[in-house]
């Protein structure tokens, strides 16, 4: 059956983004392909008076608190409650059909949100097409012949425009699609803070520079994520999104035949898994052939990805390095392998934090009518 992973996991609903999470974890409920209803609760915001108290102790803590309160206050889970009350159900109806047709699409749409947020913030810039005098991000190295799902975003945007024209940004649509895609794959749900606006610019250079390539070492991954204010734990949790989706052979072929220019495969590979991949990805040709990022449960959002890594069956180099013997992330990988509920909680929390990277709010940016082009 589609969307049902092999392991039974109760899916927590993250209702706040804070160091100590408020978790609702239903017990005794059967796994379902579509989790309903979506429950959104207003997250508890920092009290500015607490920041004043902290100022007496450390001035920079006061400044940090003010920044966090300001950012949180501008995004809200109830942002569209009055202006577009049918938003979530409208998005879900289109998305369900798309994922039923092609389960891989859930991972592709989740990846779009990641590639959007890591380039100058969650502003919908990844959706902009190239045109004369304008260069978007779709032809960057991480996105070229790889980023997909734009037609689904178009369909969702068109459906939303029919019920509330000119109200909902493409950046917010990406955030909603990402959460609902994970839910459709039986992953965790989280509160989506809304109110982002769309950029009128894009950056090919930032897309090339800021998105970690699949060949990344652990130190490179940590550096890229820390540059966005994300911790090692959040790096590992977000990498767990590779429990669904596919990767092209060109993304990992060097590990199969010429790892680090040694003319030999990556010695970390489980040999049986290596031979399976070599049959799928021959030394010459087949670059666009695909392999599941998680071969155990490729259409189920679970913690099997971490079991794969521990068994030296991570597909991408950027996956396997998370379990380097002396790496700071190995313990986190082991914890997530042992405790799927912990992974679900941390993943949801990290998605909320990533979704808050440098949003355009207030009068900044615009609400695009068409996600592919800036309003004229």
């Amino acid at each position: 059956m589609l969307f049902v992973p092999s392991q039974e996991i109760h899916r927590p609903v993250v209702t706040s983004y804070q160091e100590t999470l408020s978790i609702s974890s239903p017990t005794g409920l059967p796994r379902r392909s579509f989790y309903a209803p979506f429950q959104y609760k207003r997250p508890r915001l920092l009290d500015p008076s607490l920041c004043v108290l902290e100022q007496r102790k450390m001035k920079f803590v006061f400044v940090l608190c003010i920044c966090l309160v300001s950012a949180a206050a501008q995004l809200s889970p109830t942002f569209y409650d009055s202006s577009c009350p049918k938003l979530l159900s409208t998005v879900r109806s289109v998305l369900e059909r798309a994922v039923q047709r092609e389960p891989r699409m859930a991972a592709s749409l989740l990846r779009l949100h990641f590639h959007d947020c890591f380039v100058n913030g969650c502003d919908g810039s990844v959706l902009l097409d190239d045109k004369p005098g304008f260069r978007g991000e779709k032809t960057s190295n991480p996105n070229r012949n790889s980023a997909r799902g734009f037609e689904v975003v178009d369909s969702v945007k068109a459906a939303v425009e029919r019920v509330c024209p000119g109200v909902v940004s493409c950046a917010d649509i990406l955030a909603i699609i990402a959460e609902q895609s994970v839910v459709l794959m039986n992953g965790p749900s989280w509160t989506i803070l809304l109110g982002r606006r769309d950029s009128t610019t894009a950056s090919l250079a930032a897309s090339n520079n800021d998105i970690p390539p699949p060949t990344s070492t652990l130190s490179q991954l940590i550096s890229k994520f820390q540059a966005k204010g994300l911790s090692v734990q959040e790096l590992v949790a977000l990498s767990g999104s590779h429990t669904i989706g596919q990767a092209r052979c060109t993304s990992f072929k060097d590990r199969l035949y010429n790892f680090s220019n040694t003319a030999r495969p990556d010695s970390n590979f489980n040999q049986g898994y290596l031979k399976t991949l070599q049959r799928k990805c021959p030394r010459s040709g087949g670059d666009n052939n695909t392999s599941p990022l998680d071969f155990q449960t490729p259409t189920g959002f679970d913690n099997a990805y971490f079991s794969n890594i521990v068994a030296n069956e991570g597909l991408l180099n950027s996956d396997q390095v998370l379990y380097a013997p002396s790496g700071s992330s190995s313990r986190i990988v082991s914890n997530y392998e042992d405790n799927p509920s912990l992974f679900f909680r941390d993943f949801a929390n990290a998605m909320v934090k990533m979704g808050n990277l440098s949003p355009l709010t207030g009068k900044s940016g615009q609400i695009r009518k068409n996600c592919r082009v800036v309003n004229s």
Side-chain angles (χ1 to χ4, degrees), residues 128-140 201-204:
L128 291 170
D129 285 342
D130 288 354
K131 66 176 186 178
F134 182 88
R135 192 79 180 271
E137 297 163 12
K138 292 181 178 180
T139 57
S140 69
T201 62
S203 177
L204 183 70

Side-chain angles (χ1 to χ4, degrees), residues 257-294:
Y257 301 104
N258 187 29
F259 184 63
S260 298
N261 295 316
T262 60
R264 302 182 65 181
D266 186 346
S267 60
N268 288 318
F269 260 126
N270 172 290
Q271 290 303 299
Y273 185 48
L274 171 62
K275 292 177 180 178
T276 298
L277 292 175
Q278 287 177 331
R279 286 193 294 270
K280 184 167 292 188
C281 304
R283 186 184 297 269
S284 178
D287 284 358
N288 290 321
N289 295 348
T290 61
S291 182
L293 288 158
D294 169 8

Side-chain angles (χ1 to χ4, degrees), residues 1 4-5 25 33 77 79 97 108 118 132 151 154 166 172 180 205 210 212 237 243 245 273 293 304 349 355 357 376:
M1 180 179 177
V4 181
S25 183
S33 295
F79 189 84
R97 292 193 297 271
S108 299
F118 255 59
E151 294 80 8
D154 292 340
D172 274 347
Q180 292 192 4
D210 293 358
T243 188
Y273 185 48
L293 288 158
N349 189 38
L357 291 177
S376 56

Side-chain angles (χ1 to χ4, degrees), residues 6-287:
S6 60
Q7 185 176 3
E8 185 76 12
I9 302 173
H10 295 303
R11 180 160 47 77
V13 180
V14 175
T15 57
S16 67
Y17 157 49
Q18 293 181 355
E19 183 175 348
T20 302
L21 293 170
S22 171
I23 303 289
S24 172
S25 183
T27 58
L29 297 178
R31 297 300 300 275
R32 293 183 290 175
S33 295
F34 305 112
Y35 186 83
F38 288 82
Q39 296 185 359
Y40 296 94
K41 297 182 180 180
R42 184 184 301 275
R44 188 174 61 202
L45 303 180
L46 293 176
D47 185 344
S49 65
L50 296 178
C51 297
V52 176
L53 294 175
E54 285 298 303
Q55 185 185 28
R56 299 171 185 172
K57 302 176 182 178
M58 301 175 70
K59 184 176 181 180
F60 78 91
V61 173
F62 172 76
V63 174
L64 177 60
C65 288
I66 290 295
C67 292
L68 290 174
V69 170
S70 177
Q74 294 183 66
L75 297 181
S76 167
T78 61
F79 189 84
Y80 296 111
D81 279 9
S82 297
S83 58
C84 193
K86 296 182 179 180
L87 171 60
L88 297 181
S89 60
T90 300
V91 173
R92 187 166 65 243
S93 65
V94 177
L95 190 61
E96 285 179 355
R97 292 193 297 271
V99 173
Q100 283 178 326
R101 286 193 301 268
E102 184 189 6
R104 179 190 174 192
M105 185 56 66
S108 299
L109 294 168
L110 175 59
R111 185 170 181 255
L112 278 185
H113 183 48
F114 173 81
H115 282 212
D116 183 39
C117 291
F118 255 59
V119 181
N120 297 330
C122 309
D123 59 6
S125 61
V126 72
L127 303 174
L128 291 170
D129 285 342
D130 288 354
K131 66 176 186 178
F134 182 88
R135 192 79 180 271
E137 297 163 12
K138 292 181 178 180
T139 57
S140 69
N141 292 330
N143 293 329
R144 185 175 60 251
N145 299 322
S146 176
R148 58 197 301 274
F150 298 108
E151 294 80 8
V152 176
V153 176
D154 292 340
S155 296
V156 171
K157 175 65 171 176
V160 171
E161 285 293 304
R162 285 192 291 271
V163 297
C164 38
V167 172
V168 182
S169 69
C170 299
D172 274 347
I173 285 175
L174 277 182
I176 296 168
I177 285 176
E179 190 266 353
Q180 292 192 4
S181 292
V182 171
V183 169
L184 291 178
M185 295 287 102
N186 283 324
S189 178
W190 59 89
T191 298
I192 312 169
L193 300 181
L194 300 168
R196 302 168 189 80
R197 290 171 65 85
D198 297 322
S199 69
T200 58
T201 62
S203 177
L204 183 70
S207 184
N208 280 323
N209 181 70
D210 293 358
I211 299 174
T215 56
S216 296
T217 64
L218 180 59
S219 61
Q220 289 169 339
L221 288 171
I222 291 173
S223 177
K224 295 284 188 184
F225 275 72
Q226 285 183 341
K228 304 300 178 183
L230 297 168
S231 68
V232 174
Q233 177 178 303
E234 288 157 343
L235 156 64
V236 178
L238 290 172
S239 295
S241 64
H242 286 181
T243 188
I244 55 176
Q246 307 266 333
R248 294 184 303 149
C249 289
T250 187
S251 299
F252 56 88
K253 186 179 281 190
D254 63 317
R255 296 190 69 208
L256 307 183
Y257 301 104
N258 187 29
F259 184 63
S260 298
N261 295 316
T262 60
R264 302 182 65 181
D266 186 346
S267 60
N268 288 318
F269 260 126
N270 172 290
Q271 290 303 299
Y273 185 48
L274 171 62
K275 292 177 180 178
T276 298
L277 292 175
Q278 287 177 331
R279 286 193 294 270
K280 184 167 292 188
C281 304
R283 186 184 297 269
S284 178
D287 284 358

